[in-house]
Amino acid sequence: MTTTTSPTTTLRPAPTGALNFARTTATAARVLRQLRHDPRTIALMLLVPCVMLFLLRYVFDGSPRTFDNIGASLLGIFPLITMFLVTSIATLRERTSGTLERLLAMPLGKGDLIAGYALAFGTLAIIQSALATGLALWFLGLDVTGSPWLLLLVALLDALLGTALGLFVSAFAASEFQAVQFMPAVIFPQLLLCGLFTPRDNMHPALEAISNVLPMSYAVDGMNEVLKHTDMTANFVRDALIVAGCALLVLCLGAATLRRRTT
């Protein structure tokens, strides 16, 4: 007499290894489809930096040179702040609604999820940076010595950095209100210490040392390099690489700290 053994089903956990291109792009497409039905969020991401630059230009209407001096720096800072705010809230909404937990129960790794979000919001960051740069240069008359393409590159890297920071801090917030509260803790110190209001070497040595490890400082330095030099300088390359490296590092930290459950 023979006995038969019924086959057993093995549950495979969500992959955690290398990124999968198909899963990453599918996640990005899903996020973009959701954003398409949220015109207020799209308007916040794409139009607010342009509106802020427009207001800034005419605040200094009697002193155009002042706008030239700080407009380039704020061209990178405004997209960073906007992308940070929108990305942190949108990602947190996915977690609190249970969508994130359901996605991670599927064959979808944390890295795929974070990369998909970064790809989706990065696409919007490209559009946002192009709109803000075009408005500043060709409508508001921002005068820069270097190439507009380098200005666009730094603005895009700043927006991607804001996206990465937003994805990262969303893991530590329990509500959308808490996500907004992270802005004073994460963004405002960088804004004060980045060299926008005074050169960093004029600060107290302790504050200057802190500013040397904050990514927004190098974003402002990169914009200033484009403002003052006709060609791409070694300092510009260094600043751009630091901002890009910080964005990549924060994305990796975001994947490592991503939680499956909301509690």
Side-chain angles (χ1 to χ4, degrees):
M1 180 176 180
T2 60
T3 59
T4 59
T5 304
S6 59
T8 58
T9 302
T10 303
L11 296 177
R12 287 188 285 181
T16 58
L19 293 178
N20 181 281
F21 179 76
R23 292 193 294 260
T24 298
T25 53
T27 301
R30 181 187 63 81
V31 174
L32 289 173
R33 284 195 300 269
Q34 289 180 329
L35 289 173
R36 186 180 60 185
H37 300 293
D38 191 355
R40 287 177 296 182
T41 298
I42 294 177
L44 177 64
M45 284 189 288
L46 300 184
L47 299 182
V48 166
C50 295
V51 172
M52 297 300 290
L53 285 169
F54 184 85
L55 291 175
L56 184 71
R57 168 62 181 85
Y58 291 102
V59 164
F60 296 108
D61 190 41
S63 180
R65 194 60 198 166
T66 302
F67 175 72
D68 291 336
N69 290 334
I70 68 173
S73 299
L74 291 175
L75 179 59
I77 291 174
F78 286 156
L80 188 156
I81 294 174
T82 305
M83 294 304 294
F84 171 85
L85 182 62
V86 172
T87 306
S88 59
I89 292 177
T91 309
L92 181 64
R93 190 178 299 166
E94 294 269 80
R95 179 179 292 108
T96 55
S97 66
T99 302
L100 187 63
E101 188 172 342
R102 291 193 296 270
L103 288 172
L104 289 176
M106 301 168 61
L108 182 70
K110 294 182 179 181
D112 298 319
L113 188 66
I114 289 294
Y117 272 90
L119 181 60
F121 285 107
T123 301
L124 293 173
I126 293 174
I127 301 173
Q128 179 197 70
S129 302
L131 287 174
T133 303
L135 175 71
L137 291 176
W138 293 297
F139 185 78
L140 300 180
L142 179 66
D143 186 17
V144 296
T145 303
S147 169
W149 294 107
L150 297 180
L151 203 66
L152 176 60
L153 174 61
V154 181
L156 175 58
L157 290 175
D158 291 345
L160 293 176
L161 176 62
T163 299
L165 289 171
L167 288 170
F168 175 64
V169 303
S170 67
F172 304 99
S175 65
E176 294 181 11
F177 179 67
Q178 286 186 7
V180 174
Q181 287 179 312
F182 272 105
M183 180 174 288
V186 176
I187 299 298
F188 288 178
Q190 296 193 67
L191 187 61
L192 293 174
L193 299 177
C194 68
L196 178 65
F197 301 104
T198 185
R200 291 192 288 130
D201 54 9
N202 290 344
M203 298 178 185
H204 187 278
L207 294 181
E208 183 183 1
I210 295 174
S211 73
N212 288 337
V213 298
L214 297 176
M216 191 183 290
S217 300
Y218 298 95
V220 171
D221 288 349
M223 286 295 191
N224 288 333
E225 288 293 312
V226 180
L227 186 66
K228 299 174 182 176
H229 300 91
T230 56
D231 299 321
M232 182 186 299
T233 64
N235 286 337
F236 174 85
V237 174
R238 179 206 62 190
D239 296 334
L241 289 176
I242 289 175
V243 175
C246 288
L248 181 60
L249 175 61
V250 173
L251 283 177
C252 293
L253 292 174
T257 57
L258 189 65
R259 296 174 295 174
R260 288 179 177 273
R261 298 188 176 273
T262 58
T263 57

